[in-house]
Amino acid sequence: MAAPRKYPDELRERAIREVRATGRPIAHVAKDLGIHKEALRGWVRQAEADRGERDDRLTTAEQDELKQLRKEVAELRRANEILKAASVFFCPGDRPSPDEAEQVIDHLCDKGLGVDPVCRVLELSPSMYFARKKRPKSARRLRDEQLMPLIEQVHAESGGTYGARRITRALGRKGVDVARCTVERLMVELGVEGVIRGRR
């Protein structure tokens, strides 16, 4: 279907003025000016509504206001969706680390939300996000990415019972030298924890 033709504002005003001033049929005026008759009919009705001569349609000002309100509602819904999705990642009151922020933005962008809206709602800097994306990963991050699957593997092999201390020892037996505090940090990032004795 072809897009509706865009007529100049001067032609539109002239056509409306001619219909209202002369009382000629809309179809005749439209034909003389090379306008589609239904387009001219809509313009005339809108002009009448704007002058308060008919109440079966919104005025131009009301239509603009409605359009603006719909846009604001859409933005609020998107912001609500972003906050709801981000609440899973962030602890209340805590400022996310740059790594956490990057992961959250990546996750929300995969769901079809843009980087700019996500950063605006979460009060994060889009330029910082893009700069981190361009920057090569740090040695610590590369090491973390090597350790994370090993931690998950040991945790799974233990039936989900091992905590940081036992996982550190198990990795040591496999020849992986890692500090317990590093294992604890990565377990938090992975969302895994050991079973505490006495807790069901």
Side-chain angles (χ1 to χ4, degrees):
M1 182 177 173
R5 185 177 166 192
K6 177 73 175 168
Y7 295 99
D9 291 340
E10 297 82 16
L11 179 62
R12 179 176 178 157
E13 289 168 12
R14 178 185 166 193
I16 294 169
R17 193 165 52 246
E18 191 163 334
V19 169
R20 290 177 63 83
T22 64
R24 292 176 61 204
I26 287 174
H28 293 180
V29 174
K31 186 176 181 183
D32 290 348
L33 298 176
I35 304 168
H36 194 282
K37 64 181 180 181
E38 291 307 319
L40 180 52
R41 195 182 314 279
W43 297 346
V44 171
R45 287 176 179 167
Q46 189 61 55
E48 290 169 352
D50 290 345
R51 288 179 172 86
E53 296 169 7
R54 60 189 306 153
D55 56 7
D56 61 338
R57 67 193 298 158
L58 298 173
T59 66
T60 302
E62 289 170 336
Q63 287 178 3
D64 290 342
E65 185 181 0
L66 181 61
K67 206 179 293 181
Q68 181 63 30
L69 289 171
R70 283 179 174 161
K71 183 180 175 185
E72 287 174 12
V73 167
E75 287 176 0
L76 287 170
R77 282 183 178 155
R78 184 170 57 184
N80 196 24
E81 188 180 343
I82 289 168
L83 289 171
K84 194 188 294 183
S87 66
V88 176
F89 295 88
F90 298 155
C91 296
D94 285 355
R95 187 77 181 157
S97 71
D99 286 337
E100 288 175 328
E102 185 179 335
Q103 288 170 14
V104 171
I105 294 169
D106 287 342
H107 172 75
L108 294 175
C109 287
D110 288 344
K111 294 179 73 174
L113 301 164
V115 171
D116 286 336
V118 169
C119 289
R120 187 168 55 251
V121 172
L122 299 180
E123 297 179 358
L124 300 170
S125 167
S127 57
M128 181 198 75
Y129 169 77
F130 289 120
R132 284 182 63 82
K133 282 291 182 188
K134 289 178 185 173
R135 190 168 49 205
K137 292 180 181 177
S138 66
R140 171 177 156 165
R141 191 63 205 165
L142 291 170
R143 170 78 167 149
D144 288 349
E145 289 178 0
Q146 290 174 343
L147 290 170
M148 285 163 84
L150 298 173
I151 291 170
E152 284 183 311
Q153 181 187 349
V154 171
H155 188 260
E157 287 171 357
S158 73
T161 59
Y162 278 13
R165 181 171 54 85
R166 287 186 169 181
I167 289 177
T168 305
R169 287 180 183 169
L171 289 172
R173 287 193 294 273
K174 292 185 175 189
V176 179
D177 186 28
V178 59
R180 179 174 161 181
C181 59
T182 302
V183 173
E184 287 174 348
R185 176 173 56 81
L186 295 177
M187 285 180 71
V188 170
E189 191 171 328
L190 290 166
V192 297
E193 60 180 6
V195 174
I196 298 173
R197 190 177 297 170
R199 183 189 292 175
R200 296 180 68 81

